[in-house]
Amino acid sequence: MQLRYAFRVYPDAGQRIALARAFGCARVVFNDAVRAREEARWAGRPFPTAAELSRKLITEAKRTVERSWLGEVSAVVLQQSLRDAETAYRTFLASLKGTRKGPKVGAPRFKSRKDARQSVRFTANARWRITDVGRLCLPKIGAVKVKWSRTLPTIPTSVTVIKDAAGRYFASFVVDTDPAADQARMPATDRTVGIDLGLTHFAVLSDGTKIDAPRFLRRAEKKLKKAQRELARKQKGSKNRDKARLKVARAHAKVADARREFHHQLSTKLISENQGIAVEDLSVAGLARTRLAKSVHDAGWSSFVGMLRYKAQRYGRTLVTIGRFEPTSQTCSTCGTVDGPKPLNVREWTCTACGIVHDRDHNAAINVKQAAGLAASACGAPVRPGAIPAQREETGSHGLPTGNRAT
């Protein structure tokens, strides 16, 4: 399977100028491709093909005075920008026809130099490489310093250089992993677990373990409010406003990084200790429209379940998702009696049939495990449904480097 490994990079002043030039050229080519397709649509002509756009917007444009500066960056960056536009239109048309799953996707929009995220992609044709001293050598940019935090499992097929809203630069490598080697690294186990996700506790496991909710956003709210008030007072277009905006972006990035790190550590721990994992399919979009919206977004359940999904496929584990309408909080895990809905302030309840006192979250986690078919059978052997497909995720890049391990 394909994975992304992201590492922080530290370009010097000249390299930052070269990267800004590459970001701008890729953005212009993307916008030209969108404009060419829109003009063809309004004129009633068929969409120009990728080869026609490449010849017109890159090859011929470099010979003109208005676009001669496109030759200052790698041609691969421009070609990949055209490919991104082609993919965006293909996704949009598939969404219109109903052949694409998920929510509707809008038409591609023009990119702006004020966008929070800027990126360029280098494939193998660009002849980028990792030097002997661990630097990332990019064409027409130079050897950029990289903070390696882990070893790349295989030789990367491409690298994307990203600048986020906080002004940080990252190199995101696409690698093909070996499923057999990944599964061999995981310890053999027959344990299974059900997980009940919540707000008071981030997760309650069927074995009784309770994992507290870190509440990263709530803890940083005071600092965020102060930074946002300072931003609101600055005059638009001033340099002080740019500094204040960067301060807000860095505060938000710190919260997002801490949340992502927590999700990675917990998901890896659960995957390594259990062969089968069961979770509930929560309606995050619905819960985000209630008074609990901020807490729901702060928890990041969708991101966590996504990490469990792709790690389960990578390491040969089983992840089962049960329906959101399963009455896990209303059913007695001992006798199976459905006791009816209960308000959220009821954290413990007594079964009217067998008299057992249940902790609401622990009981729900046990029911999630049983509903997924991961409970032990009569002979004591665990029931393991087949693995489900996993989405590709970008792995985190945290911790201190222990040397030049990527080379």
Side-chain angles (χ1 to χ4, degrees):
M1 64 182 298
Q2 283 189 325
L3 289 176
R4 288 186 177 271
Y5 281 72
F7 301 90
R8 184 83 179 268
V9 296
Y10 297 89
D12 57 29
Q15 292 168 349
R16 287 196 295 269
I17 294 174
L19 283 172
R21 187 183 302 117
F23 294 148
C25 291
R27 181 177 63 250
V28 167
V29 171
F30 183 92
N31 291 343
D32 287 346
V34 173
R35 188 178 295 107
R37 288 211 164 194
E38 288 300 308
E39 290 175 353
R41 183 174 70 88
W42 284 110
R45 301 191 306 268
F47 280 167
T49 63
E52 293 172 349
L53 290 175
S54 177
R55 183 178 64 254
K56 179 181 178 181
L57 302 181
I58 298 178
T59 306
E60 296 179 359
K62 288 180 181 179
R63 301 170 184 164
T64 64
V65 178
E66 296 81 4
R67 291 285 191 268
S68 60
W69 36 263
L70 290 176
E72 299 177 4
V73 302
S74 173
V76 174
V77 168
L78 308 181
Q79 293 289 348
Q80 292 301 311
S81 187
L82 280 183
R83 180 170 294 183
D84 290 342
E86 182 74 17
T87 302
Y89 268 103
R90 192 181 299 114
T91 304
F92 168 58
L93 295 176
S95 181
L96 284 180
K97 296 176 182 178
T99 57
R100 180 185 181 275
K101 296 181 180 180
K104 292 292 183 181
V105 177
R109 64 169 183 84
F110 292 111
K111 292 185 177 181
S112 171
R113 63 180 180 178
K114 296 182 180 180
D115 288 343
R117 185 181 184 274
Q118 306 280 348
S119 66
V120 289
R121 185 166 61 254
F122 299 87
T123 59
N125 295 335
R127 297 181 181 179
W128 60 271
R129 62 189 178 87
I130 299 174
T131 65
D132 295 337
V133 295
R135 295 209 169 201
L136 177 62
C137 189
L138 300 172
K140 297 189 178 182
I141 293 176
V144 185
K145 181 182 177 181
V146 184
K147 183 179 180 180
W148 300 105
S149 58
R150 64 188 65 199
T151 305
L152 291 174
T154 58
I155 298 176
T157 58
S158 69
V159 59
T160 303
V161 181
I162 304 166
K163 181 184 179 183
D164 65 4
R168 304 177 300 176
Y169 292 86
F170 294 90
S172 178
F173 298 91
V174 176
V175 299
D176 293 313
T177 61
D178 183 9
D182 290 336
Q183 295 176 19
R185 287 162 44 196
M186 282 288 109
T189 179
D190 285 330
R191 290 183 56 185
T192 57
V193 68
I195 305 174
D196 178 65
L197 299 175
L199 297 177
T200 305
H201 294 90
F202 178 79
V204 178
L205 309 184
S206 56
D207 60 6
T209 304
K210 293 187 177 182
I211 301 165
D212 292 332
R215 295 186 176 91
F216 295 107
L217 180 61
R218 296 288 187 181
R219 291 192 300 180
E221 257 184 333
K222 186 176 180 180
K223 183 181 295 185
L224 281 169
K225 286 180 179 178
K226 180 181 178 181
Q228 287 167 341
R229 282 197 299 266
E230 292 176 355
L231 174 62
R233 296 189 185 104
K234 299 297 185 288
Q235 184 178 358
K236 290 186 178 180
S238 65
K239 291 186 177 180
N240 284 335
R241 184 177 177 85
D242 291 339
K243 296 177 183 178
R245 184 207 60 79
L246 196 61
K247 187 176 180 180
V248 173
R250 286 172 177 168
H252 279 289
K254 187 175 181 180
V255 172
D257 289 346
R259 184 187 297 115
R260 189 182 304 111
E261 177 70 10
F262 169 73
H263 288 166
H264 270 298
Q265 290 184 358
L266 180 58
S267 59
T268 300
K269 183 176 185 294
L270 292 173
I271 288 293
S272 62
E273 294 178 352
N274 299 277
Q275 175 63 40
I277 299 175
V279 293
E280 190 175 6
D281 179 25
L282 297 173
S283 177
V284 177
L287 291 170
R289 291 193 293 267
T290 66
R291 59 185 178 85
L292 301 173
K294 184 179 290 188
S295 297
V296 170
H297 287 306
D298 192 12
W301 294 326
S302 296
S303 173
F304 173 70
V305 174
M307 291 180 185
L308 284 177
R309 186 173 292 115
Y310 89 82
K311 290 179 182 180
Q313 184 191 24
R314 180 183 182 185
Y315 297 111
R317 304 306 203 197
T318 299
L319 178 69
V320 182
T321 305
I322 69 169
R324 65 186 59 172
F325 299 109
E326 192 74 25
T328 55
S329 297
Q330 307 173 21
T331 305
C332 175
S333 58
T334 303
C335 65
T337 301
V338 179
D339 208 13
K342 302 165 186 63
L344 289 177
N345 62 343
V346 177
R347 309 315 303 171
E348 289 186 354
W349 56 281
T350 304
C351 178
T352 56
C354 62
I356 298 294
V357 179
H358 291 294
D359 178 274
R360 181 192 183 108
D361 298 329
H362 183 209
N363 177 73
I366 296 175
N367 287 330
V368 167
K369 178 180 177 180
Q370 293 175 348
L374 295 180
S377 61
C379 62
V383 180
R384 300 190 221 171
I388 60 176
Q391 65 182 9
R392 189 179 75 179
E393 274 288 333
E394 181 162 334
T395 57
S397 173
H398 305 281
L400 296 175
T402 58
N404 182 20
R405 299 178 293 172
T407 57

